[in-house]
Amino acid sequence: MTLSPARVPATGVRRLTRTLYGYAFLDDFVLLYPVYALLFADTGMPLWQISSLFALWSVTGVVLEVPSGAWADAVSRRRLLWIGPLLTAAGFALWVAVPSYGAFAVGFILWGAGGALGSGALEALVYDELDRLGAADRYARVMGRARAARLLGTVASIGLAGPVFAQGGYAAVGAASFLACVLTAVTATRFPEHRVRAEGAGDTWATTLRTGLAEVRGDDRSVRGALLLVPAVAAVWGALDEYTPLLVRDIGVAEATVPYLIMLIWAGVTLGSLLAGPAERLGTSGLAMLLAGAALALAVGAGSRSLAGIALVSLAFAGFQLAEVLADVRLQHRIDESRRATLTSVASLGTELATVAAFGVYALLGTDMAHGTVFAVLAIPYLVTALALARARAATARP
């Protein structure tokens, strides 16, 4: 039987999205997430050593982010997507087998390297495969659902970590995390990849990196604007997420209630991911209004120090997550296939650096202000971004 032309793309899209959703879920289904800090402490490490491990993890990602994106443009992106989880699996195995500061440090380097290999490569592969199938317009919907799958993986891992840890301790949650990473790698081998790279064209890793960075410095303002928009949208709320338990506790609820309210906030984030497809039609003005509305919801909600305020924070995070997906969509539409992973990694690097800066600002403000006040102050950058988008839209509308 011969498949119709319409049937072939539909089958290809279905294979791609099923693989992507499974990969995204398994990649964040790590039972070590809620307990690895406890593992470090129970090994006898002081707080400064634990903090240095987190810093090493961040530095690894920052150093490797852009080079790994250039590598993904020079070689097979699918290959990097299965190598990355195996590196992470090796790091987790090391943690459980020989728990010590050196082992934890090497494990974080492997985890950071594994994450860097997938960053940029995943978005580039998905966009190009959808484009090949004539379905590039589905990218926002597909990536929004992929982010929702990641959130479900995180929530599932947190829910299972308790009973698994009670039964088998760190060895059990470590083994489960190792297995999840291996399954992630196996799932990655199922990704279709039809990108054709010219042989003998001298398109090496270094050449790809130089060419990609040259495109950032080039005359195309739309590329630069799209690159800057990603960290402008993603960084601050990504940093604030780490402080949401402190914000929730400050409203006076019992400690046992805190996780449930955190789940409410993440329900909003999941909703924002799932709305990405329909929201792609918002355009620049709509995105500006979305950011402004989310910023106001964050400021009012965090400042009210109430249960209703936490609901508003959840709504704000939904808006920021949705805006983050839309910012990625704008970037993918504006960059060339051959440099897609490189430039996506440049945007991710900007996000990581801006997130570190947001952590510093939070630490500085938090010494004298309540958590709700700091949240409200850090809503201001989103109002500035919304204003910049509105002005850019007005400028392009002039004859």
Side-chain angles (χ1 to χ4, degrees):
M1 181 180 70
T2 301
L3 294 176
S4 66
R7 177 67 175 169
V8 174
T11 302
V13 170
R14 192 177 302 116
R15 176 192 171 187
L16 173 65
T17 55
R18 286 177 177 174
T19 304
L20 173 63
Y21 301 154
Y23 179 91
F25 177 89
L26 290 169
D27 198 35
D28 271 25
F29 186 67
V30 178
L31 271 65
L32 273 169
Y33 277 162
V35 299
Y36 63 70
L38 302 179
L39 171 61
F40 302 157
D42 289 347
T43 306
M45 291 167 45
L47 181 59
W48 72 266
Q49 284 188 323
I50 296 175
S51 298
S52 70
L53 289 174
F54 293 152
L56 179 63
W57 187 21
S58 297
V59 168
T60 301
V62 167
V63 170
L64 297 179
E65 182 69 53
V66 176
S68 67
W71 192 21
D73 280 331
V75 299
S76 166
R77 293 162 179 167
R78 177 174 57 196
R79 185 187 309 164
L80 300 192
L81 290 175
W82 64 257
I83 291 175
L86 293 182
L87 292 178
T88 304
F92 290 159
L94 195 60
W95 283 4
V96 177
V98 283
S100 62
Y101 182 81
F104 297 147
V106 173
F108 266 127
I109 291 173
L110 291 171
W111 193 358
L117 290 180
S119 177
L122 180 64
E123 293 88 347
L125 184 147
V126 172
Y127 188 93
D128 286 342
E129 287 300 313
L130 287 173
D131 191 37
R132 182 185 67 85
L133 295 167
D137 59 326
R138 302 189 194 181
Y139 178 78
R141 182 186 305 112
V142 167
M143 292 307 292
R145 290 175 178 175
R147 289 176 186 241
R150 284 190 179 278
L151 293 171
L152 290 175
T154 300
V155 171
S157 67
I158 292 172
L160 287 175
V164 172
F165 182 80
Q167 291 294 319
Y170 293 117
V173 293
S177 301
F178 176 89
L179 178 60
C181 291
V182 172
L183 290 176
T184 305
V186 172
T187 303
T189 64
R190 297 276 303 158
F191 275 116
E193 186 176 27
H194 297 86
R195 186 168 60 106
V196 178
R197 296 177 301 281
E199 299 293 338
D203 201 19
T204 63
W205 170 87
T207 302
T208 301
L209 178 58
R210 285 195 301 269
T211 307
L213 294 178
E215 188 171 340
V216 178
R217 298 190 299 268
D219 296 329
D220 191 345
R221 285 187 169 184
S222 67
V223 172
R224 283 202 305 276
L227 278 169
L228 292 172
L229 182 62
V230 173
V233 171
V236 174
W237 86 271
L240 290 178
D241 166 54
E242 302 298 331
Y243 299 97
T244 49
L246 301 176
L247 176 71
V248 170
R249 189 173 62 181
D250 263 10
I251 70 174
V253 299
E255 294 284 343
T257 307
V258 172
Y260 297 107
L261 294 179
I262 296 300
M263 291 289 290
L264 171 64
I265 292 174
W266 280 100
V269 176
T270 305
L271 176 63
S273 297
L274 294 175
L275 290 174
E280 190 177 6
R281 296 189 291 270
L282 284 176
T284 301
S285 297
L287 182 57
M289 293 177 63
L290 173 65
L291 285 173
L296 291 174
L298 177 65
V300 173
S304 70
R305 300 182 64 181
S306 65
L307 289 174
I310 297 302
L312 279 176
V313 172
S314 175
L315 181 63
F317 275 29
F320 295 141
Q321 171 73 338
L322 174 56
E324 185 177 336
V325 176
L326 296 180
D328 175 52
V329 172
R330 290 164 68 93
L331 176 62
Q332 300 304 328
H333 284 334
R334 285 166 172 76
I335 54 182
D336 180 72
E337 173 187 351
S338 61
R339 315 296 173 213
R340 190 176 305 284
T342 303
L343 295 182
T344 302
S345 291
V346 169
S348 297
L349 173 62
T351 298
E352 290 175 9
L353 292 174
T355 300
V356 171
F359 282 138
V361 172
Y362 197 105
L364 182 64
L365 296 177
T367 56
D368 299 315
M369 298 180 180
H371 292 289
T373 305
V374 180
F375 269 66
V377 170
L378 289 179
I380 295 174
Y382 287 110
L383 293 174
V384 174
T385 301
L387 178 60
L389 284 171
R391 292 183 63 181
R393 178 67 182 88
T396 57
R398 295 194 192 104

